[in-house]
Amino acid sequence: QVQLVESGGGSVQAGGSLRLSCAASGYTYGSGCMGWFRQAPGKEREGVAQIYTGGGSRNYADSVKGRFTVSLDNIKNTLFLEMNSLKPEDTAMYFCAAGSLDDCLSGSPPEEYNYRGQGTQVTVSS
C-alpha cells in the first residue's frame, strides 16, 4: 500500500524559507513523476513543481520559478520542496502526489496522479 505523508509546513514571515518533505512508503519510483501542488481557500488548485523520478527533469510554475526547488532522495524515499523568498501569496495547503511519466509530460492535475498525500499548511505573513 502506497502512502505519502507531507511535513515541514508552518508559519513564516515574508522573505522566509521552509522545506517541505513528502515521505513515500510502498512506492517504487522507477520512471514516474512526483509533484507538489497547492490550494488556497477560494483559489484554483495549482501545480507547483514536478520531477521525473527516472532522471530528475523538473518543471515549475511560473509563480515559483527561481524561489522553489524540488528534489528527490531515492534512498530516503522522500520528495522535497525547498521554498525560499516566500510571499504571502504562497499561503496554501501543499500536498504531494505520485504518478506516471505522462503526468509530468502532460501537466496532469493531482487527481489524475495515482497517489496523493493529505497535505501540510504553509502560511506566510506580510
Side-chain angles (χ1 to χ4, degrees), residues 32-38 45-62 64-65 68-72 79-81 95-110 113:
C33 177
M34 294 192 77
W36 285 100
F37 300 85
R38 66 186 181 186
R45 185 175 295 175
E46 178 184 19
V48 176
Q50 295 81 41
I51 184 168
Y52 167 50
T53 61
S57 178
R58 299 164 173 83
N59 298 317
Y60 295 96
D62 288 342
V64 306
K65 280 181 182 177
F68 290 12
T69 302
V70 61
S71 61
L72 182 63
L79 177 74
F80 297 101
L81 184 68
F95 58 98
C96 62
S100 68
L101 174 59
D102 282 345
D103 292 319
C104 274
L105 296 176
S106 60
S108 298
Y113 282 62

Side-chain angles (χ1 to χ4, degrees), residues 16-35:
S17 299
L18 284 172
R19 189 191 197 203
L20 304 184
S21 299
C22 171
S25 59
Y27 179 69
T28 301
Y29 290 108
S31 298
C33 177
M34 294 192 77

